[in-house]
Amino acid sequence: MATKTAAERREEARQAFDAYFAECPSRKLLDRLSDKWVTLVLTALSQGPRRYSDLSRRIAGVSQKMLTQTLRVLERDGLVSRTITPSVPVRVDYELTPLGQSLMPLVSAIKSWAQEHIEDVEAARRRYDAA
Amino acid sequence: MATKTAAERREEARQAFDAYFAECPSRKLLDRLSDKWVTLVLTALSQGPRRYSDLSRRIAGVSQKMLTQTLRVLERDGLVSRTITPSVPVRVDYELTPLGQSLMPLVSAIKSWAQEHIEDVEAARRRYDAA
DNA sequence: CTGAATCCTTCTTGATACTG
DNA sequence: CAGTATCAAGAAGGATTCAG
């Protein structure tokens, strides 16, 4: 059997699509922003540098694991910088980079659209659920 | 023991935060947009109405289940309308509502930032990974 | 204080089979 | 053509524990 089964062809198509998909810049950005904690961390840093423990307190629901993980990702992406002060106990400050700051207007735009249109969305939901 | 354990207090805080968090309009919007298929469907519909099978083909990697599920959510939120033509076989068209169209500039803005800055992000990643 | 490593549960999602 | 229903696999996230 030289020909491929339908399942094999579908699988190949899916993998090709996933590969293309993973490369899409807007997709990468959305994947970042959509992370539950990313926008909260960015917003918490928008007013200036914050210590790890500050962030932990300001973002009340975050676990240590997720806060650290989020900060690592943002640092790797160049959106946030990390500064260690080797005192005892050690102190670590996080701060938005210029690149990170350039992203904030977008976060604001998302916030604006949401605030302006959330009523419409919820009204639509009520209509849909009533039907 | 009238006092609560630390674990209990943490759990309460987490639940309160989650409740507040779930109510946040920008969060709701981000949760929508961040869904793997939502922006793809919106973009596919941005040029006009499309049939279910059209969407299925244009968005190569999507499964029937996820396409249907995504369309249902968007319909419920009032972003997409669904029109059934009871021919044989049946024909179903999806189209952006005005509300859905009002969201597209935001999707474009995300795309723009991503395209402009993705190089910076990837350069930052290379630096981070090299260290 | 700041974090890393592990376990364990929950949620998501894709494949498959079936329907009007 | 346009879905619905079900199930199993994998990813994500929280709690906990240990460390510099």
Side-chain angles (χ1 to χ4, degrees):
Chain A
M1 276 257 260
T3 48
K4 293 161 182 155
T5 67
E8 282 169 343
R9 279 197 304 276
R10 233 179 300 128
E11 174 63 9
E12 275 183 22
R14 196 187 61 75
Q15 286 181 9
F17 180 83
D18 284 353
Y20 153 76
F21 193 68
E23 281 312 303
C24 172
S26 6
R27 172 50 39 188
K28 290 180 183 178
L29 177 59
L30 267 174
D31 281 346
R32 269 293 156 279
L33 292 183
S34 71
D35 186 281
K36 184 174 180 183
W37 304 111
V38 164
T39 50
L40 288 175
V41 170
L42 292 178
T43 300
L45 291 175
S46 65
Q47 301 303 314
R50 292 281 181 269
R51 298 184 57 172
Y52 180 88
S53 46
D54 285 339
L55 292 173
S56 182
R57 251 174 282 110
R58 293 168 69 92
I59 309 174
V62 73
S63 65
Q64 272 191 339
K65 175 181 174 178
M66 293 317 294
L67 179 55
T68 299
Q69 183 175 307
T70 302
L71 288 167
R72 287 293 168 282
V73 166
L74 294 178
E75 189 193 357
R76 186 170 108 99
D77 283 358
L79 300 172
V80 163
S81 65
R82 178 168 178 262
T83 309
I84 306 177
T85 306
S87 50
V88 178
V90 68
R91 168 193 180 123
V92 180
D93 286 272
Y94 292 92
E95 185 174 12
L96 286 183
T97 63
L99 185 61
Q101 287 175 19
S102 79
L103 190 56
M104 296 312 292
L106 203 49
V107 175
S108 295
I110 291 170
K111 203 172 294 187
S112 293
W113 192 97
Q115 284 170 353
E116 281 174 38
H117 297 286
I118 189 68
E119 288 299 334
D120 296 336
V121 169
E122 297 192 331
R125 283 186 196 167
R126 284 192 294 273
R127 280 195 301 277
Y128 185 94
D129 293 342
Chain B
M1 277 255 260
T3 48
K4 292 161 183 156
T5 67
E8 283 170 342
R9 280 197 303 276
R10 233 179 300 128
E11 173 62 11
E12 273 184 23
R14 196 188 60 75
Q15 286 182 9
F17 180 84
D18 283 354
Y20 152 77
F21 192 69
E23 281 311 303
C24 174
S26 4
R27 172 49 38 189
K28 289 180 182 176
L29 177 59
L30 269 174
D31 281 345
R32 269 294 157 279
L33 292 182
S34 70
D35 186 280
K36 184 175 179 182
W37 303 111
V38 164
T39 50
L40 288 174
V41 170
L42 290 178
T43 301
L45 290 175
S46 64
Q47 301 303 315
R50 293 280 182 270
R51 299 183 57 172
Y52 180 90
S53 47
D54 285 340
L55 292 173
S56 181
R57 251 174 281 110
R58 292 169 70 93
I59 308 174
V62 72
S63 65
Q64 270 191 337
K65 175 182 175 178
M66 293 316 295
L67 180 55
T68 298
Q69 184 174 307
T70 302
L71 288 167
R72 288 290 171 282
V73 166
L74 294 178
E75 188 193 357
R76 187 170 107 97
D77 283 357
L79 300 172
V80 162
S81 66
R82 178 166 178 264
T83 309
I84 305 176
T85 305
S87 50
V88 178
V90 68
R91 167 193 181 121
V92 180
D93 286 273
Y94 293 91
E95 184 174 11
L96 286 184
T97 63
L99 186 60
Q101 286 175 22
S102 78
L103 190 55
M104 296 312 291
L106 204 49
V107 175
S108 294
I110 291 169
K111 202 171 296 185
S112 293
W113 192 97
Q115 284 169 353
E116 281 174 37
H117 297 285
I118 190 68
E119 287 300 335
D120 297 335
V121 169
E122 297 192 330
R125 283 187 195 166
R126 283 191 295 273
R127 280 196 302 277
Y128 184 94
D129 293 342

